[in-house]
Structure formats: C-alpha cells, structure tokens
Amino acid sequence: MTAEKLPMCPRCETDKTEELTKSPDPGVWVIYRCPTCFFAWRSTEPDFITDPKKYDPNFKFKPEDMATFQVVPTVPDLIKR
Amino acid sequence: MAYKGLREFLNVLEKNGQLLRISEPVLPEPDIASAACAGTKLGDQSPALLFENIKGYTTAKIAMNVHASWPNHALAIGMAKDTPLKEQFFEFVKRYQTYPGKIERRADAPWKEVVIDKDINLYDLMPLLRLNQGDGGFYIDKSTVVSRDLNDWDNIDTQNCGMYRLEVKGRNRIGIQPIPEHDIAIHLARAEEQGKDLPVAICLGNDPLMSIVSGMPILYDQSEYKMAGALQGEPYRITATELTGLDAPWGSEFVLEGKIKSRVREAEGPFGEFTGHYSGARNMPVIEIDRVSHRKNPIFEHLYIGMPWTEIDYLLGINTGAPLYVQLKENFPEIVSVNALYTHGLVVIISTKRRFGGFAKAVGLRVFSTPHGMGYAKVVIVVDETVDPYNLPQVMWALSTKFNPQFDLVVVPGMSVLSLDPGSDPEGMTYKMVIDATTPKAPETHGHYSQELRDPAGTQQWMKQIGEMVASAAKQGGSR
C-alpha cells in the first residue's frame, strides 16, 4: 500500500504538510496542516481555500516573510540576577 | 438566578423560543459560520443555533450565537427576554456594584468525566472549523483563559479570566493573542522576564455569565469569579484543575491545561476580527497543551465574528459600558449614562451634567485612562444629561447642533490602542479625540443655545394615551 500524497500548503506553497486527522465518519474529509506557516484546512473546503493557485493572493505569504511580522506582545528583557 | 453551565442555559433559551436546533446535515465549512452570520443579520432578536448533524462528525454538537441578541443577553443575566437594553444596562451596573460576590469551591466537576493526558490531538477532541475564508486556521474564540501572576501565585484576585482568540496550530499547539493592554499580558511579561513558562487553563463551553465576565474590562486586581458571583447574586462555582492548579468554572464543557512557552513567538493569523477587518499575520505566543478534560459528549461553543454586528457586539457591549460607567462615576458623579456598544467601545458615548465650562472635555479625557480606554475608546462623544446615549438619533442631534469643531474638539496624539484597530499607525498607536457635544456652560459662552426647544405641554400624557390606544387596537386586531 502506498502512502497518500499530501497536498501542497495552499497559503505558503511549501510541500511539507501533514495530516492532522480524518473524519470520525470515515471518508468524509481530512484535515491538513502546514508546519511551516501553521495554515490548517479541511479537504471539503471550497477550492479558493484548498487550491494554492486559487488561494487569495492578498492572504498568501512566503515562509521567509514570517521573520518580518510584527511581534505581539514584545518579549521583555530577562531580569538580571 | 445562576446557570450551572451551558447546557442548562441552552434549555432556557429553547423554552423561551430563543434556540433553534439545526438537525439537517451541514458541512463544517462554510455552513456553520454562514448560518451564524445570517442569524445576526436577521436582527437583534435572533436565536442561538445548535448544530446537531455535522458532516464527518458522529457525535459533535456545536452551539453558535448563544449571546447573539438582546433577548439572549437578557436571559443570560437572568432577566425576562423582552427587557429593554437600557434596563439591562442599569441592572448590570447595579449588580456590578455589589462586587465582590462569593465563590464556592467544589472538588468534583462534570468536566472531569473524561481525561486525556497522552497523545493529545485537539482536532480529534473538538469539532474545530474555519470561520472566515481569510482565517489562517481553525480557532477557539469563545473560551475563558485562566492565568496567574507567578510572583503572586496564591492571590485569587489577580488570577485572570479572559477571552482571547486561540488558533489551534497543531495537535496540542495553540497560538494566543495576549494584547499588551489585557491582563494576561501582565502575567506573561512577569513569567517571561524570568524565563519561565506561564501555566494556563482554557475553559470552553461555559455558563453564559462566564463569557460575559471574561470579556469585561475590570480592574487588574478584581477577580472575574467574584464578579460572576456578584452579577448572579449567588456564589460562583469553581473547581481547581489537576495539572496547573488554576481555577476553572465548575460547569465548563472542556478544560485544556498547558503553558505559554516562555519567550517564544511564531506566526499567527490572520483572523477576521470584531473591527470588520482581518488582523493580518503576526508573531505571537504559543501554548502547549498537556492535559484535556471534558464532559461526556461535550458541546463545543463557538462564536462567529466578522463585519459588525455579530454575536461579539452583544456579548461585549453592556459588560464594557458598565465598568466604564462605574469607574468614571467615581470621579464624576454627574455622569448619567455610558454607551460603549459600538465596535467593542472604540467609540464611547457619555451623557453627563456639567458643573462649569470645560467639564465635559475633562470627563471625555478621563475615559482614556480607564482600563478599557487604554486599549480602545478612540472616539469619545460627550452629550448633555438630557440626551440618551443609547438613542442614536438624539446623539446625532447633539453632534449636529451642540458641537462646533472650533471650540469642542480635543485631539490627543500618541495614544495606545489595540493593534487590531486597522486605523492605528503604527499598529497599536493612534490619535484619540473627545467630541464635546454638550451645551456650553459658563464661563464657556460660544454658540446660541438659549432657545432650545421643549416638547409642547402635555406631550408625556399624550404619549401614554396614544400608546395605550395603539396597544388596545393591536389587541383587538389580533383577536379577530
């Protein structure tokens, strides 16, 4: 038996995604996760969520963009002892 | 009145015609969010929705829109469902002022029925789903997150219960948004400056008062559990959690225990927010969940949030205005009423008597230094005591006629606001303003207000008489 091919992340387009769970009622849907940008999606969602080509470009980002995101809340300085 | 949990409240809603069971099969996306969004678009009397047949799930139940109308809010605080909004506000204020209420500790709680502390997969344990199409993942957005100050661990008054958005980013990994103006950010900063993790308990599917209290801008050293006790007029039941020792509501459906990882930030969002805009993606803290407890066949409570008005506007309206009213009245007994209903109180309307010229501006400026004002309250409108801040036509009349920008506009630069305000620049910083739409009082003299109209003599009696005639005619019409 061959392993099912995992889909590409619709948002950041990395190909290293993972399966989080399958529907308790077998065969209805699968939930996937992207460990790079933390996007999660269900196989039964509309194609503008699941298909990297149709995902809203305004909401896409590249893995390297994450380093520039605003930090909320900021990390405080360590107390010097 | 005191509801012991969500289930009891859903029964009360159903008996009052304020709950619809959706038994036809629905897809998790987009049906559940769409239905919840539609419910609030139908007006301010709409029912809660209980989804009982969700495709792919076998036993899951999802409750939406539990607080999403004024009748539901009235029932949540133990009042008749047809109680007018203003009466709900002043009853809430009255009970709030009985703080501190009592708490009742119980060793056992229904949420201890099932415990998972190995191989946790939240996606198996909860019917998680996407709310808005631009959301970066599946969120928990209607829970009570409990935390304590590591330096003051045994102090129940500084133990915080807050409602924060939570992105489930992995099997036992959750992103959290602790906005700096919120109390949990104080706990987190004290833990992180020592390089320590912050224990948290995430309590989901609560009695309706707990959700109201968790979103209240009360003082840092006021206990939400004691506030719930005050508001319900009976001791509020809590139970200590096993792993963290934090106190959870006795009646929760789920309790998730874990810790915010010290000094870790990673990508979170976007998430469709109460501002009617997405938050954008930001680097925010991360929770690791180590233990999940839940009732058998738990009900998952969720909240649709999007372009106002949605459930959150009912949930966070009165509970924001009431603390503001009480906190402001301590300084200014002249204040008559406060309305913070709009976009979680980014706009606040205050009616007040004035003792002298400039008084209304001082009242307006005081809002900015309240706990709520530090992160919200960007626009404060002050009106005369004769104007009802809950009556927008009256407020618009005051703005149209009493307000002259030459004299009555105070703009304050460099103020804090929550970073979710899409108008803030940079995120989290804004100018704020007070609009003084009151009648000038000596020595302030501008304008010509000596001939303000009054209703003709006898109008009040005629209102009563015509009202009775209309009611009587409607009754006769209905009995035909």
Side-chain angles (χ1 to χ4, degrees):
Chain A
M1 187 174 145
T2 54
E4 280 178 54
K5 190 173 181 306
L6 289 163
M8 177 189 278
C9 172
R11 183 165 72 174
C12 77
E13 299 195 7
T14 54
D15 52 9
K16 286 180 188 147
T17 60
E18 60 183 20
E19 185 183 304
L20 275 173
T21 193
K22 287 185 163 74
S23 54
D25 181 8
V28 181
W29 44 252
V30 180
I31 299 177
Y32 301 102
R33 159 185 193 258
C34 170
T36 303
C37 78
F38 310 107
F39 189 69
W41 70 102
R42 193 183 322 259
S43 57
T44 47
E45 291 195 73
D47 62 1
F48 56 78
I49 299 287
T50 59
D51 182 346
K53 291 194 186 72
K54 294 180 180 169
Y55 196 81
D56 186 340
N58 274 333
F59 289 80
K60 282 179 102 89
F61 58 78
K62 296 187 179 75
E64 56 268 30
D65 295 338
M66 294 190 290
T68 64
F69 289 171
Q70 190 192 13
V71 174
V72 178
T74 52
V75 180
D77 292 337
L78 282 169
I79 293 174
K80 293 192 177 88
R81 295 185 190 280
Chain B
M1 78 88 208
Y3 299 112
K4 301 296 185 290
L6 175 64
R7 295 174 190 215
E8 186 184 342
F9 184 53
L10 294 179
N11 289 336
V12 169
L13 288 175
E14 191 162 35
K15 279 183 195 145
N16 281 274
Q18 286 297 127
L19 177 117
L20 282 183
R21 289 176 187 269
I22 312 286
S23 52
E24 66 185 87
V26 296
L27 272 168
E29 298 89 10
D31 290 342
I32 290 178
S34 308
C37 178
T40 51
K41 285 192 187 302
L42 289 171
D44 64 4
Q45 309 288 306
S46 65
L49 304 173
L50 184 62
F51 294 89
E52 299 177 310
N53 187 355
I54 305 150
K55 286 180 186 173
Y57 290 104
T58 49
T59 57
K61 287 186 181 180
I62 301 180
M64 303 291 289
N65 290 13
V66 170
H67 292 79
S69 63
W70 294 127
N72 286 24
H73 187 277
L75 291 165
I77 59 173
M79 299 183 82
K81 73 170 184 178
D82 56 356
T83 308
L85 168 59
K86 217 164 106 179
E87 267 180 54
Q88 292 189 46
F89 175 77
F90 281 107
E91 177 64 20
F92 198 92
V93 165
K94 195 174 96 189
R95 295 189 204 162
Y96 173 96
Q97 288 172 302
T98 66
Y99 179 90
K102 291 195 167 61
I103 51 176
E104 177 191 344
R105 287 193 171 278
R106 295 230 171 171
D108 260 328
W111 48 261
K112 292 189 176 182
E113 286 173 339
V114 181
V115 174
I116 303 105
D117 57 8
K118 280 198 265 312
D119 302 323
I120 292 168
N121 186 349
L122 295 171
Y123 284 86
D124 284 338
L125 299 172
M126 298 174 151
L128 299 165
L129 57 93
R130 187 185 320 280
L131 290 173
N132 285 299
Q133 62 192 55
D135 289 354
F138 298 178
Y139 277 74
I140 295 170
D141 71 348
K142 196 179 184 186
S143 69
T144 293
V145 181
V146 186
S147 62
R148 289 188 192 180
D149 182 347
L150 289 187
N151 299 343
D152 193 17
W153 185 258
D154 295 325
N155 187 348
I156 190 175
D157 292 333
T158 56
Q159 175 173 259
N160 182 59
C161 300
M163 189 175 284
Y164 309 108
R165 81 186 210 195
L166 304 166
E167 180 183 0
V168 185
K169 300 163 80 173
R171 290 172 178 81
N172 70 333
R173 194 172 185 85
I174 293 177
I176 182 170
Q177 174 181 254
I179 287 173
E181 292 85 357
H182 290 166
D183 287 347
I184 193 174
I186 299 172
H187 293 171
L188 181 61
R190 288 192 182 149
E192 289 193 318
E193 66 189 11
Q194 300 173 67
K196 292 180 179 170
D197 295 341
L198 181 73
V200 290
I202 299 166
C203 313
L204 190 147
N206 294 313
D207 65 275
L209 203 51
M210 198 64 239
S211 296
I212 291 172
V213 167
S214 298
M216 266 173 98
I218 58 177
L219 303 177
Y220 175 70
D221 61 357
Q222 286 182 322
S223 154
E224 282 79 8
Y225 292 136
K226 290 181 183 174
M227 184 59 76
L231 290 171
Q232 70 183 17
E234 290 179 36
Y236 188 81
R237 286 184 184 178
I238 56 174
T239 298
T241 54
E242 302 279 339
L243 183 68
T244 57
L246 296 163
D247 296 314
W250 176 86
S252 299
E253 294 284 321
F254 288 92
V255 175
L256 282 50
E257 293 177 82
K259 68 261 177 186
I260 302 184
K261 301 290 288 173
S262 188
R263 311 181 73 78
V264 174
R265 303 288 185 273
E266 66 181 26
E268 193 270 4
F271 183 59
E273 273 286 358
F274 71 93
T275 59
H277 296 76
Y278 287 95
S279 62
R282 293 163 297 162
N283 285 319
M284 297 211 282
V286 176
I287 302 170
E288 267 181 19
I289 299 298
D290 301 309
R291 183 184 173 98
V292 176
S293 310
H294 66 78
R295 294 186 185 220
K296 288 177 186 160
N297 298 316
I299 298 172
F300 184 73
E301 190 186 9
H302 209 358
L303 177 147
Y304 176 74
I305 182 168
M307 186 60 75
W309 272 43
T310 66
E311 177 176 3
I312 201 161
D313 297 294
Y314 298 95
L315 179 62
L316 301 181
I318 289 177
N319 71 349
T320 301
L324 258 184
Y325 173 82
V326 173
Q327 290 156 10
L328 292 170
K329 217 168 162 64
E330 281 175 12
N331 302 124
F332 301 109
E334 294 81 4
I335 285 173
V336 172
S337 188
V338 174
N339 176 347
L341 293 182
Y342 299 98
T343 325
H344 198 357
L346 281 169
V347 174
V348 175
I349 310 165
I350 299 169
S351 64
T352 184
K353 298 171 190 158
R354 284 104 40 239
R355 286 192 278 134
F356 40 77
F359 193 89
K361 293 179 182 69
V363 168
L365 288 166
R366 174 68 182 91
V367 174
F368 299 143
S369 56
T370 60
H372 175 76
M374 296 293 283
Y376 300 80
K378 183 169 58 173
V379 176
V380 178
I381 303 168
V382 190
V383 294
D384 287 344
E385 75 275 20
T386 49
V387 173
D388 176 1
Y390 286 91
N391 184 329
L392 288 192
Q394 287 185 15
V395 174
M396 289 298 116
W397 167 78
L399 267 183
S400 314
T401 61
K402 303 286 189 184
F403 170 61
N404 179 340
Q406 184 183 355
F407 303 103
D408 297 324
L409 181 65
V410 182
V411 177
V412 189
M415 302 291 278
S416 60
V417 74
L418 82 167
S419 55
L420 294 174
D421 173 11
S424 65
D425 186 19
E427 285 177 25
M429 295 300 293
T430 188
Y431 281 38
K432 294 190 174 184
M433 72 172 175
V434 175
I435 295 174
D436 178 358
T438 62
T439 310
K441 191 107 176 168
E444 200 175 13
T445 56
H446 66 83
H448 308 282
Y449 296 109
S450 62
Q451 295 188 351
E452 187 180 302
L453 259 160
R454 289 283 175 265
D455 296 334
T459 299
Q460 288 293 325
Q461 289 92 315
W462 272 105
M463 279 176 67
K464 187 166 179 284
Q465 185 176 333
I466 293 171
E468 285 168 0
M469 288 168 75
V470 169
S472 169
K475 205 171 172 185
Q476 283 174 11
S479 63
R480 271 179 206 150

